[in-house]
Amino acid sequence: MKEKWESYPSSIRLLAIAAVIFSTGMACIWPLVTIYIHEYLGKPLTVAGFLLLLNQGAFLVGSLVGGMLFDRWGKMRTILLSSAGIIMMSVCLGLTHDFTVYTILFLLNGLFYGTLSPVINALAVVLWPEGGRKGINMIYVALNAGVAAGSALGGVLASVSFALTFFGNAFAQIIVLAMFAFILPRHVKAMAEKAKSGGDRTKAAGESVGKAAPVKPVKNVAWGALVMLCAGLLISWIVYVQWTTVLSAYMQSLGISLRQYSLLWTINGGLILFGQPLIAWVIRRFARTLKAQMLLGSYVFVLSMLILSQTTSYAGFVAAMFVMTLGEMLVWPAVPTVAAEFTPEGREGFIQGLVSGTGSAGRMLGPLLGAFIFQNFQAQGLLYIMAGLALLSVIFFAFHSSFQKRSHQVPVQTAEKM
């Protein structure tokens, strides 16, 4: 394990640690939002659900804005704005007891979180462009490690005071901001040294042969491929989010307790953290390309829904969660990695913001669509339809590469923005 950790560049290791802390702070709040609104602020569960929907909408907008700011405004300034916003909103949320004020702050918090979220993946691409799936997968695992730690920590803090969960999140984001302030200057310095070294070599080569330096290849945004990729991701999230919404209520109707339901997510988190050797073997054996990885993950989502359609026992739900987690471990890191492969230099933030926003859109639409289908077609109808949707995502993932455009070459000069 130590050797594998040390095989990553120091910048990616530091970014992974920052991602753990970022996710830990966020998870101090999110699992408790519904309980806080319902029991502490005295509002119905339907109001809590509607607020969560609006929050995901704000997150979606923030993801798109954050990605564009990352590319055009500079990395550090985008991080400073986003982190400062999260810290300020978290502190204010811990101090307020008014529902109207809480609602405004909660939506702004979602907006700032959305602004910062794509930055982490975009940085993984920028800091280690040759890393491919390894860098983004490291960030995916780190974020899930933070969710596991933050969920436990949030419960402890909330048992003392709900305000402490918000203050704890603010403290975590202050640490994250400090880490980014440490990581980025090192990256810029390394890039400057690399550019200087490369420029000297290019100049020498040009002088020796009496020719101009070769142009740098620049890629266009392959919009068709990106739309297909995001469509597959959107559908995958719609399928996945049924676990956190309709299926939780369905399990309770079968006599499965909330504690048993929570244990499923413990299994999910444990498999993500400790099942990396297993998923690495699966990828080596069955999915050697990123495209194959996405396709296999989508088929695994289908299998999970079909397992659920044939069982009402808790053991069946455990098996389905195990299978669904394997699908998640294949699809979630693969999509941003594939998107990064056809991202033009200087557009990393926008593309990763679009991918992040697509996931948020799936988390918005999934509960509404799932509730409608469940109400009209019952549980089995829902599960069969979700299996069909997962198959549809296979089609989108399978054909996304057909829409990729060839890159063209033009002379270009880039400036490293802070």
Side-chain angles (χ1 to χ4, degrees):
M1 184 67 73
K2 182 180 178 182
E3 290 180 359
K4 184 174 180 60
W5 170 254
E6 291 179 348
S7 69
Y8 290 89
S10 59
S11 58
I12 293 296
R13 296 201 299 266
L14 287 170
L15 184 62
I17 294 170
V20 171
I21 299 171
F22 168 78
S23 186
T24 298
M26 183 172 62
C28 282
I29 296 176
W30 290 110
L32 303 169
V33 166
T34 301
I35 297 172
Y36 182 78
I37 295 173
H38 180 57
E39 296 186 4
Y40 189 75
L41 297 179
K43 300 299 177 181
L45 288 175
T46 52
V47 172
F50 184 64
L51 272 185
L52 287 170
L53 176 68
L54 293 178
N55 182 271
Q56 284 298 312
F59 188 98
L60 189 158
V61 173
S63 295
L64 299 176
V65 172
M68 289 187 287
L69 289 177
F70 182 89
D71 294 332
R72 300 181 183 182
W73 199 39
K75 302 174 182 62
M76 196 62 218
R77 282 184 286 184
T78 303
I79 291 168
L80 181 60
L81 171 68
S82 306
S83 297
I86 293 171
I87 293 165
M88 189 182 304
M89 294 307 109
S90 295
V91 171
C92 291
L93 282 167
L95 296 174
T96 188
H97 303 288
D98 182 83
F99 177 70
T100 303
V101 175
Y102 176 88
T103 299
I104 296 170
L105 294 173
F106 187 57
L107 295 183
L108 288 173
N109 195 50
L111 180 70
F112 285 117
Y113 259 116
T115 306
L116 187 57
S117 182
V119 168
I120 297 176
N121 270 348
L123 277 177
V125 175
V126 170
L127 294 175
W128 195 25
E130 64 275 16
R133 77 176 90 188
K134 289 180 66 178
I136 290 180
N137 188 68
M138 166 67 85
I139 301 305
Y140 165 73
V141 174
L143 290 171
N144 278 278
V147 169
S151 298
L153 179 60
V156 173
L157 294 175
S159 65
V160 179
S161 169
F162 266 110
L164 288 179
T165 62
F166 299 112
F167 296 148
N169 177 50
F171 180 71
Q173 304 313 320
I174 290 172
I175 297 175
V176 170
L177 179 58
M179 291 193 68
F180 279 132
F182 177 71
I183 294 170
L184 285 176
R186 289 182 59 184
H187 164 64
V188 172
K189 182 180 178 181
M191 289 295 292
E193 291 175 353
K194 182 178 180 182
K196 182 180 178 181
S197 174
D200 291 342
R201 287 195 299 269
T202 302
K203 182 179 178 182
E207 291 174 349
S208 66
V209 299
K211 295 182 179 179
V215 296
K216 185 176 182 179
V218 180
K219 294 179 284 188
N220 286 321
V221 176
W223 287 111
L226 191 59
V227 168
M228 296 288 280
L229 196 66
C230 287
L233 180 64
L234 176 71
I235 293 172
S236 297
W237 266 110
I238 288 173
V239 174
Y240 182 87
V241 82
Q242 302 310 313
W243 276 98
T244 62
T245 54
V246 177
L247 287 177
S248 62
Y250 172 59
M251 290 175 66
Q252 286 187 279
S253 71
L254 296 175
I256 297 172
S257 68
L258 278 175
R259 178 173 293 184
Q260 289 173 303
Y261 172 73
S262 299
L263 181 60
L264 291 178
W265 292 107
T266 303
I267 295 170
N268 173 270
L271 184 57
I272 291 171
L273 294 180
F274 302 110
Q276 290 303 310
L278 171 62
I279 208 68
W281 177 83
V282 170
I283 290 171
R284 286 195 306 270
R285 184 72 175 81
F286 303 106
R288 298 196 174 195
T289 67
L290 286 166
K291 181 177 177 180
Q293 186 175 328
M294 293 188 299
L295 294 176
L296 178 59
S298 296
Y299 283 124
V300 170
F301 280 173
V302 174
L303 178 60
S304 175
M305 291 294 110
L306 292 178
I307 291 172
L308 287 174
S309 70
Q310 302 302 312
T311 185
T312 55
S313 68
Y314 184 66
F317 282 94
V318 170
M321 173 57 83
F322 183 89
V323 171
M324 180 65 85
T325 304
L326 291 178
E328 170 189 354
M329 294 166 73
L330 290 166
V331 174
W332 293 170
V335 174
T337 306
V338 172
E341 286 188 343
F342 53 80
T343 297
E345 186 175 351
R347 302 296 297 276
E348 295 91 355
F350 171 72
I351 299 301
Q352 292 301 322
L354 191 59
V355 171
S356 177
T358 299
S360 184
R363 292 189 292 273
M364 285 178 63
L365 295 173
L368 297 175
L369 181 62
F372 175 79
I373 296 173
F374 184 80
Q375 184 176 353
N376 289 277
F377 299 100
Q378 302 304 315
Q380 272 213 326
L382 169 71
L383 295 169
Y384 284 134
I385 290 173
M386 288 300 144
L389 285 177
L391 276 177
L392 183 59
S393 71
V394 171
I395 296 173
F396 284 118
F397 287 145
F399 289 101
H400 86 277
S401 56
S402 302
F403 290 82
Q404 284 184 241
K405 299 176 182 177
R406 293 182 180 179
S407 63
H408 66 283
Q409 294 186 340
V410 297
V412 64
Q413 292 182 342
T414 60
E416 186 68 25
K417 293 183 291 183
M418 278 292 289

